[in-house]
Amino acid sequence: MCVDEIIRDLQNPPREFSPVPFWFLNDRLEKAELKRQLEDFKDKGVNGVVLHPRIGIPDNFKYLSAEYFEIIRFIVKTAKTLNMKIVLYDEAMYPSGSAHGEVVKSNPDFASVGITLTKDLSEGIVIAQYNDGYAIVSKKCGGTIRGIHFGEDDGEENAPLSANILNPAAVDKFIELTHEQYYKHLSEYFGDTVIGFFTDEPCILGRCPSGFFEWTDGLENEITENGGTLSELRALFDGKTNETIKIYKRLIIEKLNGIYYKKLSDWCAAHNIALMGHPKESDDIDEERYFHIPGQDLVFRLVSPEKGGVDGINSVQAKCSSDAARHMNRRRNSNECFGVCSKNGVPWYFTASDMKWYIDWLGVRGVNMFIPHAFYYSVDGKRKDERPPDVGPNNIWWKNYRLFSDYIKRVSYIMTDSVNCAKTAILCKSGDMKPEIAKGFYQTQTEFNYLPYSLMDKAEVKNNRLCIGGYEYEYVIGETDIDVKKINSVKEIENHDFRTAVPTKDLRISHIIKRGVHMYFAVNEGNSDINTRIEMNAKGTPVMMDLWNGEYYGTEFCKSDFGICIDLSLKRYESILILFDENNGEYKPKEKRVNIGKLNFKMTEEKDFSKTYIAEYTKTDNAENEYFKASCEEMAECYVNEKFAGVSFFNHEFNIGKYLKNGKNEIRLVTTGNIANKYSEPVPYGINE
């Protein structure tokens, strides 16, 4: 494929790369309103949804009932007529595995089990006893899930009981109650309109148990058979480790993977759909083997523009899913993103610039399916307070959402059916993904990929390189006996394919090849502008493409012994795609613009969390490419002589040249405040004085 064809695809990105948001089905579900919302989603460039039963559904609307499936079938049938895709959700609400408590209702012995340290031996099974009167006892832990009706949330009396997902019979019952019923009602849509089943952070203990660790009946025998000593399990309760603890943790993971994930994975494969969703922890990479679309969950602002995205366990999650997919030849990988990512502890205070930052953070690390959390069917009453914000139809940017859906499609497009050019594999396993080592790679624009030990049986060494899934690694970090150059940090890398003139720690780079075309995706992950000379080990003519607006242009460049040199400028929240045309085609440079300077805006109206400002500008020359900058919060819409001249969500600049006339011009700026002003508490908006 030539560069021109990729550019054409990016200007009109294929619908298959659509965001696929959680659609919170959280109220009385009316067919007319469901249809209206689906049509509205499609109009905004959203071509798929995850059907997520959510708290707020009326008590008399029973999960998995005939009435429930009548509604679900209507949604799926409507989606098919709209050429939209549906991902089914396997629980009501989460964590997955209990069928809204019906698994335990079918058999009380299917309830979640744990071990606890106690002096009360009146119930449960004694696993180990100690001289001080304490014993480790196995018993039902009382774990629950968050349900779909009011009164079923964490700690509430009617919260459904969670099931023991380490018990094969309990998992079989879960599949019988959920997956089989969905297939019974929707089988003709499977593999076409219905593309996947989403399982959500399955948790062995369920939610809210205190003083318990994961367990299942008979595990004591497996521990001793593997050389463990049951009395050593007490170290769990002291936060310590020993050989038995290592055996225990390994067996727990093996059972969760081999029982829960494998059963769901096999069922989905047999029914021509993908197992989707994500495991419980950000660094659960071994669990990704069972997902046909590996996934993770970006939540609670655990990484963020103000904190950065290269420190701690949560910094690994994007590459946890993308690298697992790469090495297993999975075409897509996903992230349930933006969930509860509000700023400063203010519910609903999530900005469009935040959303852009998170998309870039995920995309440059290889995520190519975005599952926004969430689009709310209803924000009536208490529903608006349940894990906000709505990042779609109930937010200020909805009428302009196609900017975001197209951007997501473009990022997903370049990261699908492509390979990155990482030369280093960081060997890892669940719970040990070495974020402190990865940080050095990110901050020096040196690509790497995580490779779990659990996939090493599929790897081979050729010409002193570790080869797996179409990737070849010259360097390896981690304990291994393979005959490949072993290093301990990025400082030992001898040959790079990207360099900056000065250290630029907030610049993230992914060098990818898609259909023979070399591309560099560059992202500013910091809080300051980036201006530096860069060198890329590439051939041909560089073409710059702004994935936010679909514009592309040529740029000045020179050749060096290293490759191609250009000047790179990225403002905060900005990204750029640099493509290389090895046929050396000609591309027009970006049009130079004229800054008309600071305008004297005066506020003329304030209502509904919106402020309108008017300024006059007198045009006296023949320029046709004028622009102006504005410092304001948060969404800004510009009108020149009553003609719409664009909307901005960050780095507010407006190209207004084609709307100006000679003489006096009226420029109107309408700023809309963050939705937190409506649904939680006041935050600043309007022009910054």
Side-chain angles (χ1 to χ4, degrees), residues 56-240:
I57 287 179
D59 291 346
N60 61 359
F61 188 73
K62 182 175 172 55
Y63 180 59
L64 303 178
S65 65
E67 182 186 14
Y68 173 85
F69 278 113
E70 179 185 352
I71 290 294
I72 296 298
R73 184 175 174 84
F74 172 81
I75 294 171
V76 174
K77 183 178 180 180
T78 302
K80 182 176 178 61
T81 65
L82 296 172
N83 195 21
M84 297 176 70
K85 302 300 181 184
I86 294 292
V87 176
L88 302 173
Y89 189 88
D90 68 7
E91 191 50 81
M93 174 163 67
Y94 67 89
S96 293
S98 82
H100 195 233
E102 293 300 315
V103 171
V104 178
K105 287 182 181 179
S106 74
N107 185 341
D109 290 339
F110 287 162
S112 294
V113 174
I115 51 173
T116 188
L117 187 66
T118 180
K119 288 185 176 181
D120 180 7
L121 310 184
S122 62
E123 59 181 71
I125 299 171
V126 175
I127 304 300
Q129 209 160 354
Y130 304 97
N131 293 333
D132 60 359
Y134 281 94
I136 293 177
V137 174
S138 164
K139 63 180 183 178
K140 295 174 184 175
C141 66
T144 58
I145 72 164
R146 300 188 71 211
I148 58 173
H149 306 304
F150 291 124
E152 295 182 343
D153 210 340
D154 287 338
E156 295 185 329
E157 181 180 0
N158 295 324
L161 288 174
S162 60
N164 179 3
I165 57 176
L166 301 186
N167 181 335
V171 176
D172 287 342
K173 189 62 168 180
F174 171 60
I175 291 173
E176 174 191 328
L177 291 169
T178 54
H179 297 61
E180 293 291 351
Q181 288 301 305
Y182 275 100
Y183 188 72
K184 174 183 174 182
H185 290 88
L186 303 169
S187 58
E188 69 265 40
Y189 300 103
F190 271 52
D192 176 20
T193 302
V194 175
I195 62 171
F197 238 125
F198 195 104
T199 198
D200 202 351
E201 56 185 58
C203 180
I204 296 167
L205 292 172
R207 295 171 68 88
C208 301
S210 178
F212 285 89
F213 285 91
E214 294 89 346
W215 197 258
T216 192
D217 295 339
L219 186 58
E220 63 271 28
N221 298 327
E222 295 184 51
I223 290 173
T224 55
E225 289 169 3
N226 279 270
T229 302
L230 295 177
S231 61
E232 291 185 350
L233 288 172
R234 187 164 184 168
L236 280 171
F237 300 89
D238 298 325
K240 299 178 180 178

Side-chain angles (χ1 to χ4, degrees), residues 332-400:
R332 305 294 296 274
N333 78 97
S334 72
N335 194 281
E336 176 196 327
C337 45
F338 320 140
V340 206
C341 282
S342 300
K343 297 170 64 172
N344 304 332
V346 178
W348 287 87
Y349 191 15
F350 178 76
T351 68
S353 55
D354 286 339
M355 186 153 58
K356 173 64 162 57
W357 188 92
Y358 281 116
I359 295 168
D360 286 342
W361 187 88
L362 293 165
V364 77
R365 289 161 172 79
V367 171
N368 61 13
M369 180 180 284
F370 292 78
I371 301 177
H373 179 298
F375 289 11
Y376 288 37
Y377 174 83
S378 171
V379 289
D380 184 49
K382 294 187 293 183
R383 293 169 181 84
K384 76 177 187 306
D385 302 317
E386 199 274 303
R387 296 296 193 265
D390 178 312
V391 297
N394 294 289
N395 218 304
I396 62 172
W397 48 69
W398 182 240
K399 65 181 178 179
N400 299 296

Side-chain angles (χ1 to χ4, degrees), residues 384-669:
K384 76 177 187 306
D385 302 317
E386 199 274 303
R387 296 296 193 265
D390 178 312
V391 297
N394 294 289
N395 218 304
I396 62 172
W397 48 69
W398 182 240
K399 65 181 178 179
N400 299 296
Y401 191 81
R402 187 171 282 274
L403 287 168
F404 291 96
S405 59
D406 281 352
Y407 186 68
I408 285 171
K409 288 175 183 177
R410 291 178 181 124
V411 171
S412 299
Y413 171 87
I414 64 172
M415 288 298 172
T416 304
D417 302 324
S418 59
V419 296
N420 73 351
C421 296
K423 298 175 182 176
T424 302
I426 297 182
L427 302 182
C428 62
K429 60 183 178 181
S430 289
D432 183 15
M433 289 188 64
K434 303 176 175 62
E436 68 286 350
I437 294 176
K439 181 176 181 177
F441 282 81
Y442 288 129
Q443 294 186 332
T444 58
Q445 298 79 50
T446 307
E447 281 203 275
F448 71 94
N449 287 334
Y450 283 115
L451 175 56
Y453 286 103
S454 57
L455 294 179
M456 285 293 282
D457 61 338
K458 302 183 185 304
E460 57 182 335
V461 177
K462 295 180 181 178
N463 300 320
N464 299 116
R465 283 172 167 75
L466 178 61
C467 304
I468 180 172
Y471 290 83
E472 296 185 5
Y473 299 109
E474 184 177 347
Y475 305 96
V476 170
I477 294 178
E479 297 180 7
T480 178
D481 295 329
I482 61 174
D483 187 19
V484 174
K485 187 169 185 178
K486 300 174 185 65
I487 61 174
N488 296 306
S489 76
V490 69
K491 295 178 181 179
E492 299 174 61
I493 301 289
E494 296 174 353
N495 54 331
H496 297 257
D497 68 357
F498 184 94
R499 298 194 302 212
T500 58
V502 295
T504 313
K505 67 181 183 66
D506 291 327
L507 176 63
R508 304 288 171 262
I509 293 290
S510 183
H511 176 191
I512 53 180
I513 304 171
K514 184 178 176 76
R515 301 182 188 176
V517 176
H518 285 253
M519 300 180 278
Y520 288 80
F521 186 40
V523 168
N524 183 350
E525 212 165 277
N527 294 314
S528 302
D529 293 355
I530 290 174
N531 294 285
T532 186
R533 186 81 162 165
I534 63 173
E535 292 183 276
M536 294 158 285
N537 188 9
K539 298 183 297 183
T541 300
V543 187
M544 314 294 281
M545 186 159 196
D546 186 339
L547 299 181
W548 180 250
N549 56 32
E551 295 177 356
Y552 69 98
Y553 50 91
T555 187
E556 292 185 0
F557 68 98
C558 64
K559 297 180 180 179
S560 69
D561 292 339
F562 186 78
I564 303 295
C565 307
I566 67 171
D567 291 324
L568 178 68
S569 295
L570 287 176
K571 296 184 179 68
R572 189 183 182 193
Y573 304 120
E574 284 188 348
S575 63
I576 198 75
L577 181 67
I578 309 167
L579 306 94
F580 282 89
D581 182 357
E582 295 189 8
N583 293 323
N584 293 306
E586 294 186 6
Y587 299 88
K588 291 182 179 180
K590 189 174 185 178
E591 185 179 39
K592 292 183 179 180
R593 301 182 302 158
V594 176
N595 187 345
I596 64 175
K598 186 176 181 180
L599 294 170
N600 185 25
F601 279 107
K602 295 183 179 180
M603 189 173 71
T604 61
E605 185 179 35
E606 180 176 6
K607 67 176 183 179
D608 299 329
F609 314 110
S610 177
K611 296 177 181 179
T612 299
Y613 301 83
I614 300 290
E616 284 190 352
Y617 172 70
T618 301
K619 181 180 173 68
T620 60
D621 55 33
N622 294 321
E624 295 181 351
N625 51 1
E626 297 96 333
Y627 78 99
F628 74 93
K629 298 180 180 181
S631 176
C632 55
E633 304 286 344
E634 168 180 354
M635 182 174 78
E637 298 166 285
C638 180
Y639 299 82
V640 178
N641 301 320
E642 295 303 318
K643 293 182 179 178
F644 180 64
V647 60
S648 176
F649 296 99
F650 51 89
N651 301 331
H652 300 294
E653 294 184 4
F654 296 93
N655 297 323
I656 60 173
K658 65 181 180 180
Y659 303 100
L660 295 174
K661 62 185 180 182
N662 289 328
K664 286 187 177 181
N665 295 267
E666 181 188 84
I667 300 176
R668 178 161 53 98
L669 203 61

